[in-house]
Amino acid sequence: MKLQQDRKSHETKSKSPVSKNTTATPSSPGRQKPEELVPSRYAVRVGEIEVLVVSDGVLPLPTAMLAHNAVPAERAAWLSDMFLPPDAFDWALNVVLVRSGAQTILIDAGLGSDPDLHLPRAGQTVKRLEAAGIDLSSVTDLVLTHMHMDHIGGLLVDGVKEQLHPDLRIHVSAAEVKFWESPDFSHTSMPPGFPDALRATAKRFMKEYHSQLRTFEEEHEVAKGVIVRRTGGHTPGHSVVRVADGGEALTFAGDAVFAVGFDQPDWYNGFEHDPEEAAHVRTRLLRELAASGDLLVATHLPFPSVGRVAIDGDAFRWVPVFWDY
Ligand SMILES: [Zn+2]
């Protein structure tokens, strides 16, 4: 409450910069009101390649979505162990911007806005890219890990397509495009309204952007040191992106890994269209990352979602990096 009062009085003061109060205390002149109280971007360097994790916001979702094949009491115990509320919690939603050579690559685009789903705290990507000084028209390539609404919806916000470069290349696996022609939701477990919203968003995306798609089968080098690779599982065309340079590497895992996936890699997430395969993909990827020591960033890991994977008995352990700032 104190903070809000302070901010309000500052807003009132800063409304008329021309008649700036010259008798202000030494600490207040020139003090800018912060755009947001919590930082929404975090930069990492991988060799010569710049990686910026940007938060699209958070999605409050029912906790049953974490593990629809788990015994409810075990799921409740995990939430309790993590100091998380029992019924619904905020899933992080991250996108990544990569600069390699002359290319600027955006990986996924956040949720955008769907008035029917009441998720107003997400959909911040464009605003936050702007706040980071990144002009949408400077993006040369867009990589989509998959075509769920929380990864493509940002491209459908009014005015965004017009700001994007007309020659923007959109890389997505051919299997993903094919899947959304007639998507199967029979193995998912989503809140009401979600399957229809996901279908409609993918359809709209294809209508708006089909001429810019550059599909790949299994693997594609988007830029020097930036390789997208299809994993399947979460969706048949789900892909991950590995950034590697100068002996360092970082993998953006999209929706192959969730926060609960370290302790319980076999728990089925409600958004997985082939949950059994998704669990295999997750375990394989976590083993690879544990062996290599590469950095991991994933869409729904808590912001800034930069860490490494350790093996812990039959499970894995998330080891966040110490913030470097
Ligand atoms: Zn997602």
Side-chain angles (χ1 to χ4, degrees):
M1 186 53 84
K2 180 73 173 57
L3 267 179
Q4 282 179 1
Q5 283 167 354
D6 284 352
R7 282 178 70 191
K8 191 144 195 169
S9 67
H10 184 71
E11 274 165 22
T12 321
K13 267 186 216 158
S14 60
K15 263 189 185 143
S16 48
V18 183
S19 60
K20 200 168 155 189
N21 181 1
T22 49
T23 59
T25 56
S27 62
S28 63
R31 185 176 155 239
Q32 297 283 310
K33 181 171 83 71
E35 175 79 2
E36 294 182 293
L37 290 178
V38 178
S40 57
R41 58 181 187 267
Y42 183 76
V44 193
R45 265 192 109 85
V46 178
E48 293 293 308
I49 301 176
E50 293 171 38
V51 176
L52 189 69
V53 183
V54 178
S55 166
D56 186 66
V58 293
L59 296 167
L61 289 170
T63 49
M65 303 264 326
L66 283 179
H68 60 94
N69 62 332
V71 177
E74 287 182 17
R75 193 171 59 214
W78 184 83
L79 290 162
S80 166
D81 287 351
M82 295 292 286
F83 299 92
L84 290 168
D87 301 322
F89 84 101
D90 292 342
W91 297 36
L93 183 45
N94 307 306
V95 308
V96 166
L97 190 95
V98 176
R99 285 205 178 106
S100 171
Q103 284 171 264
T104 299
I105 303 142
L106 179 63
I107 309 174
D108 289 346
L111 181 77
S113 61
D114 186 321
D116 296 336
L117 292 177
H118 310 294
L119 297 165
R121 294 175 65 202
Q124 312 289 329
T125 292
V126 171
K127 189 179 95 182
R128 287 175 170 173
L129 286 174
E130 276 170 15
I134 291 148
D135 193 336
L136 274 186
S137 66
S138 70
V139 176
T140 57
D141 298 82
L142 182 73
V143 179
L144 299 176
T145 59
H146 61 298
M147 284 166 51
H148 273 162
M149 180 175 61
D150 52 326
H151 301 253
I152 59 172
L155 300 169
L156 300 172
V157 171
D158 285 349
V160 165
K161 193 182 176 190
E162 291 69 24
Q163 288 178 61
L164 290 166
H165 197 281
D167 296 332
L168 173 75
R169 298 174 286 260
I170 304 179
H171 308 275
V172 61
S173 77
E176 188 67 8
V177 173
K178 176 129 191 46
F179 174 70
W180 287 98
E181 287 169 8
S182 175
D184 176 9
F185 281 76
S186 61
H187 302 288
T188 62
S189 175
M190 301 183 188
F194 273 72
D196 286 346
L198 290 172
R199 276 192 199 94
T201 308
K203 208 171 187 166
R204 252 189 83 199
F205 166 76
M206 283 306 292
K207 191 163 166 258
E208 295 282 342
Y209 289 98
H210 65 95
S211 64
Q212 283 167 269
L213 297 189
R214 303 284 183 273
T215 56
F216 60 90
E217 293 301 323
E218 297 302 326
E219 203 172 278
H220 175 65
E221 186 175 46
V222 178
K224 187 174 170 285
V226 183
I227 292 177
V228 58
R229 165 169 68 94
R230 187 176 80 86
T231 62
H234 185 73
T235 58
H238 180 276
S239 303
V240 301
V241 182
R242 187 165 189 266
V243 176
D245 190 47
E248 298 174 325
L250 175 152
T251 292
F252 181 67
D255 283 13
V257 182
F258 300 93
V260 71
F262 300 94
D263 292 335
Q264 304 286 355
D266 295 332
W267 281 4
Y268 295 171
N269 178 279
F271 285 96
E272 287 165 345
H273 291 261
D274 184 345
E276 210 172 307
E277 179 59 15
H280 291 147
V281 167
R282 178 158 44 248
T283 304
R284 215 160 37 227
L285 185 66
L286 289 173
R287 283 195 184 286
E288 277 173 29
L289 292 167
S292 67
D294 289 3
L295 292 172
L296 165 66
V297 174
T299 306
H300 302 295
L301 291 180
F303 180 81
S305 165
V306 183
R308 292 189 173 81
V309 182
I311 300 253
D312 196 356
D314 291 335
F316 300 92
R317 190 161 49 87
W318 168 242
V319 186
V321 294
F322 289 13
W323 279 43
D324 186 9
Y325 55 100

